Amino acid sequence: MSKNVLVLADVRDGELRNVSLESLAAATRVADGGAVTAAVFGSKAKDVVEELSHHGADKVVLVLDEKLDQYTTDAYFQAFKQVIEHVEPDVIFTGHTAIGRDVSPRVAARLGCGLVSDCTDVEVDDSQIVFTRPIYAGKAFVKKAFREGTVFATLRPNNIPALEADTSRSAVVEELEVQFAEDLLRTVVKDVVRKASEGVDLSEARVIVSGGRGVKSADGFKPLQELADVLGGAVGASRGACDAEYCDYALQIGQTGKVVTPDLYIACGISGAIQHLAGMSNSKVIVAINKDPEANIFSVADYGIVGDLFEVVPMLTEEFKKVLV
Ligand code: FAD
């Protein structure tokens, strides 16, 4: 049975995040002939219309209001709710990003709809939409099926491949004016100060080179950054490294940090505590470098290198440079 599906596009610094394209791919899977609509917020929303239509959007709803240029819970809540009331979708996707995780549950609760968070897969089986999500810190997966009613889902980045761009597609574009209850806009963003370094976004990176307490100092992260740069990836960290002030908490991966699913995760000097594994064990290929052959990180690694990371990491960088640079 065909479904109307809405995707809330996540735009950061004028760039569409990959997870929005992945959400469009998920939307196309479940639409089954229904319309796939993308909603984009902010005064520069028009800039991403083409990319959205090339990746599966049949219609793009633009809310070109300056109040939506920076994310605030109150403004996005009001705008998203009104877009949903206008589009009347059966299924609503957002990325499992800071924005999606904040706004989706609020609007779902207000509209009395169901929500499945942190989905890693979605399929249609016998007219039911079946969402897959990890449970028990990634040790098992549960499938949730919906036959009727409106449902929200947040999608974990890097799990559903985006569709190949089809440049012949062009979406119908609609500008929607939303009404803001000014007394409910309680937050004003005056400035955005970035803590983490610029570069590849950790939660969407295809390659992550991660350091633990074994890195020993802030300077010890330099060889990891060099390897990440050669591989076009991002640097992450264990909480051990963050607690020791070798790096910023924005890099922390794990149960109380970011959950990542890159194609390649290189763990350097990380013991493999269960709380760290909760954030990275679903990575497609895991390489562990640790001088302790008994380290628990080897239990989830596809490739293990027993050795000193300060010798191994520069060697890897040199070898990758030969083939990649
Ligand atoms: P260690 O456990 O100290 O491991 C360092 C490793 O480096 C060792 O295995 C050692 O053999 C190796 N090593 C040392 N020198 C070298 C070298 N030169 N070359 C190669 N290897 C070397 N942790 C997280 O990561 N993320 C979380 O989100 C998180 N959330 C938590 C939530 C709670 C409620 C609690 C209680 C804990 C949480 N932790 C989390 C902490 C977690 O339990 C571990 O303490 C932490 O992951 C350990 O970090 P580490 O592996 O870097 O340090």
Side-chain angles (χ1 to χ4, degrees), residues 211-214 216 237-241 252-257 269-273 275-276 289-292 295 307-310:
R213 224 184 319 247
K216 294 195 172 61
S238 70
R239 176 153 144 192
Q252 185 184 319
I253 288 166
Q255 185 183 315
T256 44
I270 294 176
S271 58
Q275 296 90 353
H276 187 76
I289 305 165
N290 198 302
K291 61 183 187 184
D292 174 9
D308 185 332
L309 71 93
F310 295 105

Side-chain angles (χ1 to χ4, degrees), residues 9-26:
D10 195 334
V11 182
R12 294 268 165 96
D13 303 325
E15 300 254 330
L16 200 54
R17 300 190 74 186
N18 263 341
V19 71
S20 301
L21 305 182
E22 294 164 6
S23 299
L24 283 173

Side-chain angles (χ1 to χ4, degrees), residues 160-181:
I160 295 177
L163 301 172
E164 288 285 321
D166 176 355
T167 51
S168 67
R169 297 185 92 258
S170 65
V172 174
V173 179
E174 182 189 6
E175 288 184 26
L176 185 73
E177 240 183 76
V178 299
Q179 305 304 321
F180 290 100

Side-chain angles (χ1 to χ4, degrees), residues 283-303:
S283 304
K284 293 180 187 83
V285 175
I286 298 172
V287 177
I289 305 165
N290 198 302
K291 61 183 187 184
D292 174 9
E294 302 297 324
N296 191 47
I297 191 76
F298 289 124
S299 68
V300 295
D302 299 284
Y303 300 94

Side-chain angles (χ1 to χ4, degrees), residues 11 22-23 28 32 43 49 64 77 84 88 104 144 163 178 225 233 238 243 257 291 297-298 301 316:
V11 182
E22 294 164 6
S23 299
T28 311
D32 193 19
S43 50
V49 166
L64 301 166
F77 170 80
I84 291 166
E88 298 185 339
S104 288
K144 305 237 180 208
L163 301 172
V178 299
Q225 184 68 59
S238 70
D243 284 345
K291 61 183 187 184
I297 191 76
F298 289 124
L316 287 176

